[in-house]
Amino acid sequence: MLSYRHSFHAGNHADVIKHLVQVAILDYLLQKDKPFCYHDSHAGAGLYSLLAEQAQKTGEYQGGIGKLWQYQATSPALAHYIALIKQLNPAGELAFYPGSPKIAAMLLRAGDSIQATELHPTDYPILASQFAHRRHSRIEHLDAWAGFKAMLPPLHKRGLVLIDPPYELKTEYQDVVAGLQSAYQRFPQATYAIWYPVIERAAVEAFISAIVATGIKDQLRIEYCPLPDSSGFGMTGSGMLVINPPYTLANDMRDALNELAPLLSAQGEYQVHQLVPE
């Protein structure tokens, strides 16, 4: 099923949380001179126009990055994330929003490697064209789970693996758990950041419990919900489950979300806590 297009949702509150966590992890990895690998499982098109028909149709970015991008943040992680968005929009108009592979490309050094898989027949060539002239990059038209088997472990011994499927099908929750186990067996020293939507609370908690039940150690949960839980349709929030997180990440995210939450919603709530110890 390939109906999902992230261009309708780019820059929404879920993207803000996902990319805030991504930036904080990459900033930590960049502190060491040794190169590392960034692997993106569901990479999308890489870059999105917020002035295009898809983004304008939903207007979701207005409740996310639209509320933030001119804000002067004090939290280092939030400030760096916002600075990247400003860098991408130097004319002073919020016209473009980066997907996770674009954020990686903006931050990583020439010697770091970028790997990405994307199955959608329209998004894949758009993504691939952005990395055509970058050394140490591998962009494949592959299913995410096949990509793990084909591309992990990478040559570098450190890295971040970002897993963020659209969860169009109920089976994708089980696919993530199985895919994570497969990837972790190949590349256990990496940091894994798994995005999940909050749509129905019982389903979310069952998914989190399934990941905890894998026995993989050192799991950190980061979640932000601008709306209260609902039994109806629609995403009320989202989160990131991070395996092998940088030791600084929990405090960095508490500081960032304490500042961010009231900016996006008067009724927003967040949580940051260790699910499984090291």
Side-chain angles (χ1 to χ4, degrees):
M1 186 173 182
L2 294 171
S3 62
Y4 180 85
R5 301 296 302 283
H6 195 68
S7 51
F8 288 93
H9 313 288
N12 66 4
H13 60 79
D15 263 4
V16 170
I17 299 307
K18 174 170 58 182
H19 295 145
L20 177 63
V21 172
Q22 179 192 8
V23 168
I25 295 171
L26 291 177
D27 280 347
Y28 180 84
L29 291 172
L30 286 163
Q31 291 177 19
K32 292 186 178 180
D33 292 334
K34 283 190 173 182
F36 65 90
C37 175
Y38 171 78
H39 183 103
D40 202 313
S41 70
H42 298 76
L47 182 64
Y48 304 94
S49 170
L50 298 180
L51 304 180
E53 180 182 356
Q54 294 97 324
Q56 289 294 315
K57 182 176 181 178
T58 63
E60 288 187 17
Y61 72 93
Q62 295 173 359
I65 191 58
K67 291 186 175 182
L68 293 176
W69 86 292
Q70 297 286 20
Y71 176 71
Q72 299 296 317
T74 57
S75 157
L78 184 58
H80 192 190
Y81 163 67
I82 293 173
L84 289 173
I85 309 306
K86 289 183 176 179
Q87 181 183 332
L88 202 58
N89 295 278
E93 178 185 16
L94 182 57
F96 295 100
Y97 188 82
S100 46
K102 178 64 175 179
I103 288 175
M106 294 173 75
L107 289 177
L108 267 59
R109 303 158 299 200
D112 299 318
S113 63
I114 296 177
Q115 299 183 164
T117 53
E118 175 54 47
L119 197 55
H120 198 285
T122 302
D123 286 349
Y124 169 72
I126 298 172
L127 176 70
S129 67
Q130 297 170 53
F131 291 89
H133 303 293
R134 188 191 191 279
R135 295 184 63 193
H136 306 299
S137 62
R138 181 181 175 186
I139 314 300
E140 297 285 358
H141 188 211
L142 277 177
D143 168 85
W145 322 124
F148 286 164
K149 294 178 181 178
M151 302 163 76
L152 297 181
L155 292 175
H156 303 316
K157 303 303 182 186
R158 302 189 303 139
L160 168 61
V161 178
L162 183 69
I163 304 174
D164 63 333
Y167 299 97
E168 286 184 288
L169 303 173
K170 289 185 177 180
T171 55
E172 283 187 278
Y173 291 92
Q174 289 76 37
D175 290 343
V176 168
V177 177
L180 169 65
Q181 290 175 299
S182 172
Y184 187 83
Q185 288 174 355
R186 290 170 167 77
F187 193 21
Q189 65 270 50
T191 294
Y192 289 83
I194 304 157
W195 178 83
Y196 63 90
V198 176
I199 298 173
E200 200 278 315
R201 178 56 63 182
V204 172
E205 298 308 322
F207 174 60
I208 296 295
S209 295
I211 295 180
V212 169
T214 62
I216 297 174
K217 298 186 182 303
D218 201 3
Q219 298 187 23
L220 177 71
R221 181 178 187 174
I222 303 163
E223 185 178 296
Y224 169 68
C225 296
L227 298 172
D229 286 352
S230 170
S231 58
F233 295 99
M235 182 173 62
T236 58
S238 64
M240 296 285 273
L241 200 156
V242 185
I243 291 167
N244 295 331
Y247 76 95
T248 54
L249 186 63
N251 284 335
D252 287 347
M253 288 302 102
R254 288 188 187 101
D255 290 345
L257 288 170
N258 188 56
E259 185 175 6
L260 170 69
L263 298 172
L264 293 188
S265 171
Q267 53 186 336
E269 295 185 354
Y270 69 88
Q271 59 171 301
V272 180
H273 69 269
Q274 193 81 18
L275 287 176
V276 182
E278 293 183 49

